[in-house]
Amino acid sequence: MTFKPTVYSIKSVATGRLFDDHGWTLADNEYPSPCLVRAEYQNRKFTPREDLEGFYRYAEWLPVRRTLAGSCAPVTYKSEKLAEHLGLENLYITFSGYWPEKGAFMKTCSFKETEAYSVCARLPEDNDKVMVVASAGNTARAFAKVCSDNKIPVLITIPYDNLGALWFTEELDECVKIIASPAGSDYFDAIALSDIVCKSPMFFAEGGAKNIARRDGMGTTILSAVEKIGRIPDAYFQGIGSGTGTIAVWENNLRLIEDGRFGSHKMKLYPSQNDPFTIMYDSWKASSRELVPFPADQARHAASVIDAKVLSNRKPPYSLTGGLFDAMTDAGGDIYKVTNAELRQWQKTFLELEGIDIYSAAAVAVASLAMAVEDGNVTKDDVIMLNITGGGEKLAWNHHTIHHAKPCLVLDPAVDPAEIIRQVEALFN
């Protein structure tokens, strides 16, 4: 079957201006301030594609030109044991990871696969430049896997201390190259390194939260939940590093309201951070659109001590128009912070009750749900969506031979940019 590209326009969140996507549009060039753009899909009805496999069943609300091999959609099920433990009647868990018993086959064990399969399918097949993806860990693993499986050239930049996240169930293809910022650096340093590389005409930036394909890929989590539940949830829980996943489900919530068949309400948003890396928590609690000060040395230390290393973005899309501050203000809810000790306890409890291991970032969300129950932000009758953004790693490692990737180069973004570009270009020549 020949796949027809999804039909959509680009909409400026700030002004409502509609315009065409001329390839890799990441912003509204006619609006001077930082602002997200959204995809405005021709099909305004939520229409899962039964003729497409895996993740692409949601292609009608994905800005994709094609489909790629190997995808899996998030899986939603109604919790029994965790729900009973928390005293909840309508707790639904959306699981992204490896759990064959539940029909979950994401071999990277992370919902970052939803980003990668969407972003890479937005690329035209005749693309002749190298995409650059900066990551704190899970995003790198997801993009490396998807690009390797589909022979899409990609450059991954990652902090050296997070290289342990780069494990795979198959050896990577030569089209994937990895570079790292030095030991002791953090995600922001990896981003700085990618920014330097993208000054070369050989490369282009994936775009992060500004990329509509990344957000709408992550937004398939709520589409999975609504398919299962039959309505928009009342409350949403997720651990966040950038907040992009929470922005994404808010955007799809608005699309579902426009559809009209699943409710007219906005689910309250309850994202959470791993204490002491709490820049968005601190900003939200201060009722501040602008991010509160977070000096680089303090941020690097906080990133080094938290269990959930992937939740360590010190320049998240919080303040810009259409970002997390706007999502939270529009939908309602609150931001929680969770200590390492708390998330470890809920990792253990989740495994005991639900029967699968989960990542630290997902355990942050579980801990915040318990806090919300305790403080009365949610009640036993609320329909709750708990986004388990990664899990099943122990199972995946038992079922597969694991391969660990190493960086081709370790580069300090503070050194000569021209020399960095020269060395990285040489990897692809």
Side-chain angles (χ1 to χ4, degrees):
M1 183 192 69
T2 301
F3 178 79
K4 294 182 179 179
T6 306
V7 181
Y8 65 94
S9 299
I10 300 288
K11 181 179 181 178
S12 169
V13 176
T15 66
R17 186 175 80 89
L18 287 171
F19 52 100
D20 292 335
D21 183 5
H22 295 294
W24 206 248
T25 303
L26 299 175
D28 179 1
N29 293 330
E30 293 188 9
Y31 189 74
S33 301
C35 167
L36 292 181
V37 295
R38 289 183 193 149
E40 192 85 354
Y41 295 102
Q42 184 180 75
N43 185 358
R44 302 299 178 89
K45 295 292 184 181
F46 174 39
T47 312
R49 291 279 300 269
E50 301 298 339
D51 59 324
L52 296 178
E53 295 182 352
F55 167 80
Y56 295 106
R57 67 181 284 99
Y58 301 125
E60 291 294 291
W61 282 4
L62 294 170
V64 294
R65 291 182 167 92
R66 52 182 170 143
T67 62
L68 301 172
S71 74
C72 177
V75 174
T76 300
Y77 69 96
K78 189 172 185 180
S79 170
E80 295 180 1
K81 293 183 178 179
L82 179 62
E84 182 181 3
H85 183 78
L86 294 172
L88 299 171
E89 299 288 337
N90 298 295
L91 173 60
Y92 290 85
I93 293 174
T94 298
F95 183 87
S96 297
Y98 186 78
W99 196 0
E101 179 185 335
K102 292 288 187 186
F105 293 94
M106 293 183 182
K107 289 185 179 179
T108 66
C109 301
S110 169
F111 89 137
K112 296 299 185 177
E113 280 192 31
T114 64
E115 301 177 28
Y117 277 108
S118 182
V119 168
C120 293
R122 187 186 180 195
L123 284 169
E125 290 192 64
D126 61 355
N127 170 59
D128 61 356
K129 294 187 176 184
V130 178
M131 182 168 62
V132 180
V133 179
S135 170
N138 289 345
T139 300
R141 190 164 69 252
F143 272 88
K145 177 223 184 299
V146 173
C147 290
S148 177
D149 289 352
N150 292 278
K151 303 297 186 290
I152 298 170
V154 67
L155 176 72
I156 305 290
T157 69
I158 187 171
Y160 186 88
D161 294 344
N162 295 21
L163 285 170
L166 293 183
W167 59 265
F168 303 92
T169 56
E170 291 96 20
E171 293 276 9
L172 293 178
D173 187 85
E174 285 295 313
C175 67
V176 178
K177 305 295 183 184
I178 300 164
I179 62 174
S181 54
S185 64
D186 67 358
Y187 179 35
F188 185 71
D189 297 306
I191 293 173
L193 193 57
S194 72
D195 289 343
I196 292 169
V197 172
C198 286
K199 292 178 182 178
S200 163
M202 182 184 292
F203 303 93
F204 70 98
E206 176 270 328
K210 294 181 180 180
N211 192 325
I212 56 172
R214 177 180 279 216
R215 300 202 313 275
D216 288 354
M218 298 165 95
T220 59
T221 53
I222 188 178
L223 300 185
S224 168
V226 167
E227 262 201 288
K228 174 67 177 180
I229 304 167
R231 53 159 285 188
I232 298 165
D234 297 313
Y236 171 84
F237 289 82
Q238 183 197 332
I240 59 168
S242 69
T244 307
T246 302
I247 298 167
V249 298
W250 169 59
E251 291 176 323
N252 264 350
N253 190 158
L254 299 178
R255 292 184 180 114
L256 289 162
I257 290 172
E258 186 178 4
D259 178 306
R261 294 174 293 164
F262 305 100
S264 58
H265 64 284
K266 297 167 186 173
M267 61 182 181
K268 291 185 178 180
L269 304 173
Y270 295 101
S272 46
Q273 295 207 275
N274 190 178
D275 194 14
F277 204 104
T278 55
I279 186 170
M280 286 180 282
Y281 169 89
D282 295 334
S283 303
W284 178 252
K285 291 299 185 182
S287 301
S288 173
R289 170 182 282 275
E290 299 306 315
L291 290 167
V292 298
F294 198 22
D297 289 347
Q298 182 182 337
R300 290 190 182 100
H301 172 73
S304 72
V305 299
I306 59 173
D307 280 4
K309 303 295 186 191
V310 296
L311 306 187
S312 59
N313 186 341
R314 56 179 148 120
K315 296 290 184 180
Y318 174 86
S319 306
L320 78 174
T321 302
L324 187 67
F325 181 85
D326 284 346
M328 298 287 299
T329 301
D330 181 59
D334 203 359
I335 302 181
Y336 287 92
K337 63 178 179 179
V338 174
T339 66
N340 286 344
E342 288 166 334
L343 75 83
R344 289 170 191 168
Q345 179 58 50
W346 282 104
Q347 265 185 313
K348 180 181 176 182
T349 301
F350 194 94
L351 175 60
E352 291 171 351
L353 296 175
E354 295 296 323
I356 193 72
D357 62 287
I358 59 173
Y359 283 146
S360 297
V364 168
V366 183
S368 69
L369 172 58
M371 293 174 182
V373 171
E374 185 174 349
D375 65 24
N377 269 336
V378 296
T379 66
K380 70 179 183 67
D381 296 323
D382 286 337
V383 176
I384 297 167
M385 175 185 168
L386 173 60
N387 191 353
I388 296 297
T389 52
E393 180 176 285
K394 292 179 181 177
L395 203 59
W397 284 39
N398 284 336
H399 288 185
H400 301 89
T401 300
I402 300 302
H403 307 270
H404 294 272
K406 295 181 179 180
C408 302
L409 298 167
V410 178
L411 299 168
D412 187 340
V415 304
D416 179 19
E419 178 60 19
I420 290 174
I421 290 172
R422 186 194 68 76
Q423 292 189 50
V424 176
E425 285 181 340
L427 296 176
F428 292 89
N429 287 328

